[in-house]
Amino acid sequence: MQELTHYLNGAHVKGTSGRFSDVYNPATGEVQAKCPLASADELDQAVKYAMEAQPAWAAVNPQRRARVMMKFVDLLNRDMDKLAEALSREHGKTLPDAAGDVQRGLEVVEYCIGAPELLKGDYTDSAGPGIDMYSMRQPLGVSAGITPFNFPAMIPMWMFAPAIVCGNAFILKPSERDPSVPLMLAELLEEAGLPKGIIQVVNGDKEAVDAILHHPVIQSVGFVGSTPIAEYIYGTGCSNGKRVQCFGGAKNHMIIMPDADLDQAADALIGAGYGAAGERCMAISVAVPVGDETADRLIEKLVPRIEKLKVGPYTSGKDVDYGPVVTGAAKQNILKLVQSGIDQGAKLVVDGRDFSLQGYEDGFFVGPHLFDNVTPDMDIYKQEIFGPVLSTVRAKSYEEALGLAMDHEMGNGTAIFTRDGDAARDFANRVNVGMIGINVPIPVPLAYHTFGGWKKSVFGDLNQHGPDAFKFYTRTKTVTSRWPSGIKEGGEFNFKPME
Ligand code: NAD
């Protein structure tokens, strides 16, 4: 059995707490590795290394820091297949999906190469007589990030790339369910020229997270994961005086207007509802067709497409649409929610409960499910299922459909499918959700825009990546300087000539 490590001060270090968690191969259900769970002392050691290394790194000019990111991009491309394979093996997603996970992280690293421009301050000449004023952005010091299992490459990179290029040291506490790729990323960063101690990976669970939240040296905490934990981390981190941004769960609605291209909408729902086994914070989990006729026609188009979906291990290659979910516990939770949907009166149109794959009977595979006649009082509507389960809520009108997206407590992403520019524009303007797609089912903003939801999908002010990340990982300092004029009244210089 492989025993994974932490990555501290440039070296793989065995855990010393004596506590471990199981890392599964979700396709077979076997435990393939043990992940060490750090104690507060181990976290403290990482902070000490970070404090030692950070001042020298902050003094490196931004262009040189950016060059490390440039080299890191090259190394990510060089090792893309290796990273994708390691990611699929622990997460279960298909290889193209895993490569996409790395790619969307890489794009933020590319954005960070612009650090010299993004960190440039402001300058006001002659703000008063002999007075100039300038603002600069300085790093915070030691930053930490706590990341979820579902994007083990992308989300760590969204955090550590801007943090590090801004001159901070960064401590990553990745998900204990798939910790190998974050360890590989830390190694690659150092191969790219990053000094030791600037990126460290401390594996762990709540104990390590609490140690981060209470450590007086750590200045900022970024979190991505489920909403209850996001709320806890935001509250605890803020009350300890840290700068905190937390991104939580989702329940993304897709409104399908009667004039929409229904083939396009159905294809979009297949990708956005079932891709990555629904384990995406931007997955569409609720389809809202407007009008019964639209709903009937949509379901008619969805069913054969769902029945064609291929579910299997990543080792089956590109033919597989999605893989297993991450753990047996995740699978049980999904099936429990499906049962609650049936019990509460929703109509199960496609039933994936009996799905089984020959040779992989112990794997955490879940067949695709489609519900119709879901209502807002049902648990499958209220809760994030995070599995291959799409709920259909029929709306009588556009206003009712809009109201559903607006009244749900989550507000990460949403989409509208329509040919009507007026409806699309009205939807984008009025809906209280952070990321909107118009005939685009998964509207994930690119690296140079920012990513973040509204309502219970976010806690904190600044979004992830884009210009917001540079604000989150720096503090502004403004200097007002006064050099009394050397010009006397009458125009003569007051300087004494140098002897
Ligand atoms: P999770 O909340 O279970 O875990 C996230 C992190 O928190 C992990 O590192 C974990 O070790 C830690 N953690 C877990 N329980 C904790 C506790 N009690 N105290 C302190 N720390 C704890 O989330 P997950 O299952 O890994 O990821 C899936 C969730 O993440 C979904 O809800 C999904 O919507 C969300 N997500 C959100 C975004 C976004 O940008 N909004 C992106 C990706 C995933």
Side-chain angles (χ1 to χ4, degrees):
M1 171 79 50
Q2 191 192 1
E3 186 180 317
L4 298 172
T5 58
H6 306 297
Y7 193 79
L8 305 181
N9 207 30
H12 286 276
V13 176
K14 281 192 165 195
T16 56
S17 72
R19 294 194 310 121
F20 292 89
S21 66
D22 292 335
V23 180
Y24 292 92
N25 176 340
T28 62
E30 286 160 358
V31 177
Q32 57 177 327
K34 295 269 175 204
C35 175
L37 302 175
S39 63
D41 286 347
E42 287 169 293
L43 185 274
D44 184 54
Q45 185 57 58
V47 175
K48 288 194 174 110
Y49 292 137
M51 280 167 72
E52 236 170 77
Q54 191 267 338
W57 175 242
V60 169
N61 76 51
Q63 205 160 6
R64 283 174 183 267
R65 295 201 300 257
R67 281 187 200 136
V68 172
M69 294 297 155
M70 253 186 246
K71 179 80 179 143
F72 182 47
V73 168
D74 288 345
L75 298 179
L76 288 168
N77 280 316
R78 182 196 72 189
D79 286 1
M80 181 65 83
D81 291 347
K82 203 163 118 189
L83 289 161
E85 210 273 333
L87 201 157
S88 292
R89 200 171 52 232
E90 288 183 354
H91 178 287
K93 62 173 80 172
T94 63
L95 283 171
D97 241 6
D101 192 326
V102 179
Q103 177 64 27
R104 292 310 288 262
L106 181 156
E107 287 167 13
V108 169
V109 181
E110 283 175 335
Y111 177 76
C112 290
I113 294 169
E117 171 69 22
L118 288 155
L119 289 172
K120 236 167 43 183
D122 297 320
Y123 193 95
T124 303
D125 174 52
S126 299
I131 295 177
D132 302 322
M133 199 176 281
Y134 61 97
S135 298
M136 53 184 152
R137 308 202 73 91
Q138 293 193 324
L140 305 174
V142 181
S143 295
I146 300 153
T147 53
F149 82 87
N150 68 327
F151 282 99
M154 179 185 87
I155 293 177
M157 284 193 259
W158 284 10
M159 291 183 187
F160 70 59
I164 288 172
V165 88
C166 286
N168 299 284
F170 193 85
I171 296 175
L172 173 66
K173 204 303 285 169
S175 171
E176 64 277 38
R177 286 180 258 178
D178 45 13
S180 290
V181 168
L183 290 165
M184 291 164 78
L185 294 175
E187 273 179 35
L188 286 183
L189 264 173
E190 288 186 4
E191 190 183 337
L194 191 71
K196 62 184 187 175
I198 298 300
I199 176 77
Q200 297 181 91
V201 181
V202 174
N203 280 306
D205 57 2
K206 180 169 166 53
E207 194 170 325
V209 171
D210 283 340
I212 288 171
L213 295 176
H214 293 284
H215 202 293
V217 169
I218 294 177
Q219 298 294 308
S220 78
V221 179
F223 171 85
V224 178
S226 58
T227 288
I229 313 294
E231 203 158 8
Y232 166 72
I233 288 176
Y234 190 71
T236 314
C238 288
S239 68
N240 286 333
K242 301 188 192 312
R243 184 179 287 192
V244 191
Q245 59 172 188
C246 295
F247 300 87
K251 196 78 181 174
N252 304 322
H253 294 53
M254 182 168 130
I255 315 296
I256 302 102
M257 296 294 284
D259 67 350
D261 177 332
L262 286 190
D263 284 305
Q264 195 191 71
D267 287 340
L269 281 168
I270 295 297
Y274 301 97
E279 290 177 322
R280 290 181 182 138
C281 69
M282 289 295 277
I284 295 287
S285 49
V286 184
V288 188
V290 174
D292 276 333
E293 198 196 323
T294 314
D296 293 341
R297 284 171 51 220
L298 182 70
I299 300 268
E300 220 171 82
K301 288 184 184 291
L302 279 173
V303 172
R305 284 169 164 85
I306 296 171
E307 284 169 351
K308 270 199 217 126
L309 283 171
K310 291 208 185 81
V311 185
Y314 75 92
T315 43
S316 301
K318 288 186 177 165
D319 294 340
V320 172
D321 291 302
Y322 73 81
V325 297
V326 68
T327 56
K331 176 174 173 169
Q332 288 319 314
N333 188 47
I334 294 163
L335 295 179
K336 200 176 91 198
L337 277 161
V338 168
Q339 189 57 47
S340 82
I342 298 166
D343 295 344
Q344 291 170 12
K347 181 175 167 197
L348 188 57
V349 181
V350 178
D351 184 353
R353 284 175 298 170
D354 290 336
F355 180 87
S356 171
L357 197 63
Q358 210 184 357
Y360 294 91
E361 287 79 1
D362 295 330
F364 309 135
F365 294 97
V366 182
H369 294 76
L370 176 67
F371 276 110
D372 194 2
N373 300 119
V374 174
T375 52
D377 54 320
M378 294 178 184
D379 290 340
I380 51 168
Y381 180 76
K382 289 189 282 194
Q383 292 183 31
E384 184 180 34
I385 303 175
F386 228 53
V389 183
L390 181 64
S391 296
T392 310
V393 182
R394 293 172 176 239
K396 288 192 178 55
S397 64
Y398 164 70
E399 285 297 330
E400 189 186 335
L402 172 68
L404 284 164
M406 296 202 47
D407 291 345
H408 202 284
E409 64 170 1
M410 300 297 183
N412 214 40
T414 186
I416 186 166
F417 273 62
T418 182
R419 289 187 171 97
D420 182 339
D422 250 3
R425 192 167 181 277
D426 183 77
F427 183 72
N429 280 335
R430 283 166 67 197
V431 73
N432 52 1
V433 171
M435 293 170 280
I436 320 293
I438 296 171
N439 299 316
V440 172
I442 307 189
V444 176
L446 292 176
Y448 39 92
H449 286 263
T450 72
F451 181 107
W454 285 19
K455 299 186 278 186
K456 289 256 177 192
S457 297
V458 76
F459 301 85
D461 304 317
L462 293 167
N463 275 353
Q464 300 191 81
H465 65 65
D468 275 13
F470 280 73
K471 290 192 183 127
F472 184 74
Y473 288 111
T474 55
R475 257 185 210 109
T476 305
K477 185 181 271 178
T478 304
V479 179
T480 306
S481 68
R482 182 161 189 239
W483 295 99
S485 170
I487 301 174
K488 272 183 175 177
E489 271 180 53
E492 275 176 59
F493 279 102
N494 197 15
F495 294 130
K496 286 208 176 103
M498 300 255 290
E499 302 273 305

